[in-house]
Every structure is written in structure tokens, then in C-alpha cells.
Amino acid sequence: MRKAVQEFDLIQDGDKIAVGVSGGKDSLVLLKGLVLLKRFAGIDYGVAAVTIDPRFNSIDGDYSAVLDLCNELGVEYRVVPSDIAEVVFDIRKESNPCSLCARMRRGALHNAAKELGCNKIALGHNFEDVVETFIMNLFNEGRLGCFAPKNYLSRKDLTVIRPLVFAPERVVISAAKRHSLPIVKSKCPVDGHTSREKTKQFLAERDKADKGFSNRIFGAMRRAGLNGWGGGK
């Protein structure tokens, strides 16, 4: 995390960062990591946490364990109830639910961050997420592209940062276990059956057959400076 923060100039003095917390391992590791990093990073910033509850089956999610963690860390925590699951699955009956769900969650997260007085949003995308997104854009959409480690949203006057992009998933899993983080299992009906999951399996097979496959893709993105991945400000 420290390497990503320094290389991509993700955090400055006076920032207030809203961490998007789904309850999964990545977002919880990111939340605790940002709190711990503040102790020795030499940067004065604040951290808040926001969960956008999709309310699957019109039932409020149980994020009480996340609230306990935030209280332990001294972090302000807000759960925002939504009708995202109802819109995506019941009303729209989306054949590709992830796309609409992601857009709706982003919008709700942006609004909550502004209400909390935050100027930045931190998302928990890890190393594998970066490579998977590149591959999905290449094969599914026929374009070269990926989300950026840092991007400014002019309409909301918010900057989105991704401090975990250098962290392999195995390291994130290890950190979550080591710190006994309270993982909230997703109740999404398509969890584990998405295009991203198929891409994850494809890359795992390629890495097993050809060691360093994902690392070379990531390296190519970096050398090309694709979407800000070349480093620097």
C-alpha cells in the first residue's frame, strides 16, 4: 500500500478518505491498512467508511461486525440502504447484473462520500483485479484499457484512489486472516458465476501453465503507461 501511495501520489495532507466497504476481504484490509499506514506514512489524513447495502431480497444486510471494527479503529461508519438489488434483479431483470449494480453503487458511494465531507474515495481493487479488468476489456469489449490507480471525478469533485493495486490476492487473504477481519459473505445470487470469475479462472490456469503470465500483462500495462499505470503524478 505504501508503495502505491507514494508512486501514484494517492494521498496528501488534509485528505478525508471514504473507504468503500462491501464487507469483503479487500475492502476490510484496505480500511485497516489505511488506518495503520497513517501511523508512519508522514501524511495527515482522515478515514471514514461507507457501505452501500444492496438489500438482497429487500432485507437489510447485517454489517454489525464491520461497525464493531470501525469503532475499534476510531473510524466513522455509515451504512446506506438502497434498492439496488430490487432494481437490478426484480425490476430490470438484468442479464448482465454486475454492470448496472456497479454503476448504482458508485453513484450512491459518491453521494455518501460528499455528505461525509470527504474529498477522496478509496476502493479495494487488488493486483488480480487490475489484470482481470484489462483482460475483460480486451476480450469482451475489444479495447485496451483498465481502471486507473487514481482518477478525478470532476462532476463530483472527488478523487478515486486504489491503494491495494500492488497487493496480490494471496497477500490480502493472509492480511485478513492475520488481523481476524470480520468478512461479510456476499448474498448476491450471481456471486461466483460472473464474467470476472471466469476471467479469474482463466488467468489462474495460464499462470499455472506459464509462470509469470499475469505479471507480464501488468508489466506491459506499466511500460505502456496505460490509463495512468506508468506511475508518477
Side-chain angles (χ1 to χ4, degrees), residues 109-223:
L109 178 58
H110 297 167
N111 291 338
K114 295 297 289 186
E115 290 172 5
L116 287 168
C118 297
N119 66 310
K120 289 186 176 175
I121 293 175
L123 302 179
H125 295 107
N126 61 39
F127 172 86
E128 277 82 357
D129 291 323
V130 177
V131 180
E132 289 162 15
T133 300
F134 174 82
I135 290 294
M136 290 168 66
N137 287 337
L138 179 62
F139 290 121
N140 296 350
E141 300 181 19
R143 65 181 179 90
L144 296 176
C146 184
F147 53 72
K150 177 177 71 173
N151 62 291
Y152 177 65
L153 309 175
S154 58
R155 290 181 63 183
K156 286 290 185 179
D157 190 26
L158 286 166
T159 299
V160 177
I161 61 174
R162 296 175 168 89
L164 282 180
V165 290
F166 288 145
E169 188 170 32
R170 59 179 172 76
V171 173
V172 175
I173 293 172
S174 175
K177 290 180 178 178
R178 189 167 64 252
H179 290 278
S180 301
L181 297 179
I183 308 300
V184 179
K185 183 171 176 53
S186 173
K187 295 183 178 180
C188 177
V190 298
D191 186 39
H193 303 282
T194 62
S195 176
R196 182 170 293 276
E197 185 62 29
K198 293 176 183 176
T199 305
K200 183 185 292 290
Q201 293 173 3
F202 164 74
L203 286 169
E205 292 169 1
R206 291 303 306 148
D207 277 316
K208 185 176 181 180
D210 184 3
K211 188 175 181 180
F213 182 81
S214 291
N215 287 330
R216 291 194 293 275
I217 292 174
F218 189 73
M221 289 175 53
R222 301 270 286 155
R223 288 188 291 275

Side-chain angles (χ1 to χ4, degrees), residues 55-75:
R55 301 186 71 248
F56 294 107
N57 299 314
S58 299
I59 299 172
D60 291 344
D62 181 6
Y63 300 98
S64 56
V66 178
L67 174 60
D68 291 341
L69 173 65
C70 288
N71 288 337
E72 175 189 323
L73 297 174
V75 169

Side-chain angles (χ1 to χ4, degrees), residues 4-6 8-12 15 120 149-150 161-163:
V5 167
Q6 292 176 337
F8 298 116
D9 192 27
L10 300 183
I11 304 174
Q12 290 83 38
D15 283 344
K120 289 186 176 175
K150 177 177 71 173
I161 61 174
R162 296 175 168 89

